[in-house]
Amino acid sequence: MDVMAASRRKDAVGRFLRESGCVHFKSTGYVSVVTADGQTLGIVNPTGHNGNNNKPKGLHEWLRHRLEEWQKLPVKRRQPGAVKVADLDEIDAAFAALQPPEGALIVRVTNRTMQHDDQGQPRLVCSKDFDKEISDIQLGRLREPANDFMWIPQAEWQALFDINPRVGQSQVVPESLKLRVFGHHMNPNLGIQGSRAYKPRSLQMGEMTATVEEVTTNSVRLELAGAGVLDAPGGMDTRLLYRPALLGHLTYDRQKRTVMELEMVALGSLSGRLHRSPAALYSEKPRLLGIVYELIHNPIGGERLRPNAARMQGSKPLGNYRNYLNPKANY
Amino acid sequence: MMIDVNFRMMCWRLVSFVAVAVSLSGFLAQAEEPTKPQQFELNSDNLSKLKNLVLPQQSENAFWKVAWEADIWAARQKAAAIGKPIFVWGGSEGPPVTNC
């Protein structure tokens, strides 16, 4: 749950969260167990509770105790259907608007830091890639890919398709799409850490082409290709440089007028430091950053969460959302 | 080590024979440096392999193996209907989508 945004809601959702106390509004990263009728059975910071970097055993034990407390509640509160939760009759307009726009594509973005093997092929990172000794838990977290979501408004993806496409024809890629892909979804500060710190001076960092590769009665397939350079201040007074090449495909269903497939991969050298631990543990030496973009068909629940770059900042819930959907080169 | 010094001295004496010297220096450089790895370039042949390397493996990204509700109200309604408590994850402006 986006606690920062939820804390400011002026509707029944905001009241439920404030009255039940199931989230900490000033400190994120907490987990809690709450009943449907609003009784919080416990709230804890898993890192602090375990004292050892999210060691699972402590949290499992904590959860077991919360379930025991749940079992002690009267049966009439625990039975299926015993608690009635009506549909919302009022929704804070500022937050109701923070949804993916109608017709937008939702794309899962997966970022993984890697290294070259002796043959020059990409490989997963290992402990020798770090300047100092790191624990197995830290290595596991640094090796794991990081997630983000990308939204592509309907007007942008529709602009990529001509009514009478010919193989080899180049389609103009909307400037806003290029700015979003390169500026927001090739920025390791955002993609790996979800942080808006160390912004590049401009989002205009790459070029992208779309070429018609195949045309059938039912579909049009585009090849998407590009390259860019991200240059931003990094952590510990370093310069963060990422030089990705981009390649992928987008297939359009001419009968249903929808996108059937979108798949892109970016790969490039990354140097400089990110600013938060543990990603800051990487040395300044160049490594590889691979990014995969995949269309989500029929996104549900958590897959509809806002992209990192569109999340709220300070007391302005809509500012980053608007800038994300209508990016400008200099923001 | 001594063999190396003698070899270098011998090379120095051959300096007037430019062609030979150039050939030797090339040979020495090749012998002392490991073969430079070929730079990996993204292309349509390796796209699928690279994609599989970047995407989560079976044991990774456990967070996304849960069908999370992003809307607490929808979670309340579901929990009430099936008679279960709600596990709430209040992330930093969202879920732990990153490994920070």
Side-chain angles (χ1 to χ4, degrees):
Chain A
M1 180 195 304
D2 187 339
V3 172
M4 293 298 188
S7 68
R8 289 168 173 79
R9 288 185 68 148
K10 296 183 178 107
D11 57 14
V13 173
R15 283 195 297 278
F16 174 80
L17 295 173
R18 285 188 289 272
E19 287 167 11
S20 69
C22 68
V23 293
H24 268 296
F25 292 135
K26 290 182 179 174
S27 181
T28 57
Y30 279 71
V31 297
S32 68
V33 176
V34 63
T35 63
D37 58 0
Q39 181 183 344
T40 296
L41 303 175
I43 178 165
V44 72
N45 179 334
T47 307
H49 179 70
N50 298 311
N52 189 15
N53 242 352
N54 290 328
K55 196 176 176 181
K57 191 180 169 190
L59 186 58
H60 288 170
E61 198 173 319
W62 181 86
L63 274 172
R64 192 168 54 79
H65 288 307
R66 302 292 79 74
L67 288 173
E68 285 169 5
E69 287 174 36
W70 162 255
Q71 293 297 338
K72 289 176 191 167
L73 294 177
V75 175
K76 63 180 180 182
R77 284 179 63 195
R78 290 188 281 120
Q79 279 177 336
V83 175
K84 305 290 179 199
V85 181
D87 290 340
L88 284 171
D89 56 0
E90 43 152 3
I91 299 176
D92 187 328
F95 294 95
L98 294 173
Q99 297 294 319
E102 185 69 29
L105 303 180
I106 299 183
V107 178
R108 184 182 285 277
V109 184
T110 306
N111 298 256
R112 193 194 286 271
T113 308
M114 299 178 290
Q115 206 29 292
H116 284 114
D117 67 12
D118 294 341
Q119 306 304 313
Q121 299 297 305
R123 63 158 171 81
L124 302 183
V125 295
C126 58
S127 55
K128 72 175 185 183
D129 297 324
F130 301 89
D131 282 346
K132 42 185 147 180
E133 200 171 317
I134 59 169
S135 68
D136 288 345
I137 290 174
Q138 284 174 320
L139 178 62
R141 292 174 72 192
L142 287 162
R143 181 186 279 170
E144 246 184 75
N147 288 272
D148 194 4
F149 297 101
M150 175 166 71
W151 292 349
I152 304 178
Q154 190 170 24
E156 284 179 11
W157 62 258
Q158 284 182 337
L160 290 169
F161 295 99
D162 199 298
I163 298 171
N164 297 305
R166 286 173 288 106
V167 172
Q169 176 183 327
S170 290
Q171 296 294 122
V172 175
V173 178
E175 191 64 21
S176 55
L177 178 58
K178 287 190 278 187
L179 294 175
R180 191 177 309 105
V181 169
F182 285 97
H184 290 316
H185 294 290
M186 289 202 191
N187 178 349
N189 280 319
L190 278 165
I192 297 178
Q193 302 201 303
S195 165
R196 280 177 296 270
Y198 303 114
K199 286 179 183 174
R201 277 184 295 278
S202 167
L203 295 183
Q204 205 157 31
M205 294 177 299
E207 267 307 319
M208 191 170 164
T209 60
T211 310
V212 179
E213 200 174 53
E214 187 182 87
V215 180
T216 69
T217 315
N218 295 323
S219 66
V220 180
R221 181 176 157 103
L222 299 180
E223 184 196 70
L224 304 171
V229 179
L230 171 106
D231 188 350
M236 298 167 77
D237 294 325
T238 62
R239 186 178 173 195
L240 196 64
L241 271 172
Y242 179 45
R243 300 173 184 277
L246 176 75
L247 191 60
H249 297 96
L250 200 161
T251 310
Y252 177 69
D253 187 322
R254 301 177 80 181
Q255 308 303 324
K256 294 180 183 169
R257 298 183 180 183
T258 56
V259 172
M260 299 158 65
E261 181 210 18
L262 168 58
E263 183 179 278
M264 297 193 294
V265 177
L267 181 75
S269 167
L270 171 66
S271 58
R273 288 183 191 271
L274 302 181
H275 76 117
R276 278 186 189 166
S277 177
L281 287 170
Y282 279 106
S283 72
E284 292 175 41
K285 285 178 285 189
R287 55 232 186 240
L288 283 172
L289 175 60
I291 309 175
V292 171
Y293 306 80
E294 288 181 306
L295 178 67
I296 301 175
H297 296 278
N298 306 314
I300 53 162
E303 292 170 335
R304 295 176 65 83
L305 284 166
R306 288 193 295 286
N308 290 337
R311 291 193 183 156
M312 64 177 294
Q313 194 165 24
S315 58
K316 297 176 182 170
L318 288 170
N320 284 330
Y321 175 86
R322 289 189 184 121
N323 292 340
Y324 177 82
L325 291 174
N326 300 291
K328 304 284 183 290
N330 298 301
Y331 63 107
Chain B
M1 184 62 77
M2 183 61 77
I3 293 168
D4 187 44
V5 169
N6 288 338
F7 187 67
R8 282 169 191 272
M9 286 171 70
M10 184 184 75
C11 289
W12 181 248
R13 285 176 192 141
L14 288 173
V15 74
S16 59
F17 300 96
V18 177
V20 175
V22 168
S23 169
L24 275 174
S25 65
F27 171 76
L28 285 171
Q30 198 176 19
E32 286 169 7
E33 286 179 16
T35 310
K36 196 174 180 182
Q38 198 178 359
Q39 192 68 29
F40 185 86
E41 281 185 18
L42 192 59
N43 58 48
S44 52
D45 292 334
N46 59 31
L47 199 66
S48 177
K49 185 182 170 189
L50 183 66
K51 180 187 151 193
N52 291 336
L53 186 65
V54 172
L55 290 177
Q57 296 176 1
Q58 190 62 31
S59 60
E60 294 181 316
N61 285 28
F63 183 87
W64 287 106
K65 291 179 180 142
V66 175
W68 295 96
E69 278 289 348
D71 175 356
I72 187 76
W73 207 263
R76 278 189 75 194
Q77 290 180 318
K78 191 184 281 186
I82 62 175
K84 301 272 186 189
I86 307 163
F87 177 63
V88 179
W89 190 298
S92 174
E93 298 183 44
V97 292
T98 66
N99 54 11
C100 62

